[in-house]
Amino acid sequence: MTEQAITHSVLLAAPKLLGGFFEESVIFILENNADGSFGFVLNRSTKTQLSDLMPDAPEHLQAATVLLGGPVQIDHLFFLALQTDQRASAAIRVVQDLSAANCLGANPNLQVLPVLGYAGWAPEQLEGEIQGDDWLVTNVDPITLLQVPLSERYAFVRAQLGFDPTLLGQSPGRPQ
């Protein structure tokens, strides 16, 4: 049941996660199963365009800003494909080959996001961090989230919670 509840959800870093890589992170969890969890930070930019890393990228993607998807394999470039005409989070998937016809503009409702690295957890590690109030599992639609400017995504997801997450417990360095 936890696998279903976390897969394809958006996680919000709790306010107590200060000073580390995940401070104020918003993460889309692509997979959560017995092998662990796998997702991408959706609110951190590398300040690099895809053309800087891949000069031969398809023309319509060359100016795309590359996201920093997580601290794991930051030398690996992933491509998230989003079906923008669907409202199901399952519409997000990882694409390996940009030359595939379904990624080259043949589908006007397909958006491709370049992402360096990913966020990963060992089996049951993410569940433990959620129980420890390090992460809040939200029902924010990731397609809607990606329409929000990058710098505003954390605040957007936090506002969607309907409560102040600092009330969950001690947040080091924050007044209570």
Side-chain angles (χ1 to χ4, degrees):
M1 174 133 132
T2 305
E3 290 176 13
Q4 290 176 338
I6 299 173
T7 297
H8 296 155
S9 64
V10 173
L11 301 182
L12 182 74
K16 70 180 186 175
L17 289 181
L18 296 173
F21 181 89
F22 291 113
E23 180 177 356
E24 292 193 350
S25 288
V26 175
I27 299 179
F28 175 72
I29 298 297
L30 190 64
E31 281 185 32
N32 179 63
N33 55 40
D35 296 326
S37 303
F38 174 77
F40 297 94
V41 176
L42 297 180
N43 67 325
R44 204 158 275 132
S45 169
T46 62
K47 308 225 185 309
T48 302
Q49 291 185 333
L50 183 59
S51 61
D52 296 333
L53 301 176
M54 268 181 80
D56 60 339
E59 189 174 328
H60 71 283
L61 294 175
Q62 288 185 0
T65 299
V66 178
L67 297 177
L68 183 56
V72 182
Q73 286 189 348
I74 58 171
D75 60 341
H76 185 88
L77 189 58
F78 295 88
F79 297 96
L80 295 182
L82 307 117
Q83 277 300 135
T84 58
D85 61 338
Q86 294 181 6
R87 285 315 204 192
S89 55
I92 297 179
R93 59 185 166 48
V94 174
V95 198
Q96 299 297 326
D97 182 9
L98 284 183
S99 64
N102 65 346
C103 288
L104 291 177
N107 182 347
N109 296 314
L110 186 71
Q111 178 183 359
V112 177
L113 298 173
V115 183
L116 275 176
Y118 68 93
W121 292 264
E124 299 184 30
Q125 180 183 2
L126 181 57
E127 291 85 349
E129 291 179 12
I130 291 169
Q131 287 178 338
D133 291 330
D134 291 338
W135 299 101
L136 301 169
V137 180
T138 75
N139 62 0
V140 171
D141 175 40
I143 304 297
T144 301
L145 173 64
L146 291 169
Q147 305 305 314
V148 174
L150 201 62
S151 63
E152 299 172 21
R153 290 179 183 167
Y154 183 83
F156 173 79
V157 175
R158 186 174 168 156
Q160 302 304 306
L161 292 174
F163 67 93
D164 182 355
T166 61
L167 300 175
L168 290 176
Q170 295 290 20
S171 297
R174 308 268 174 141
Q176 294 294 313

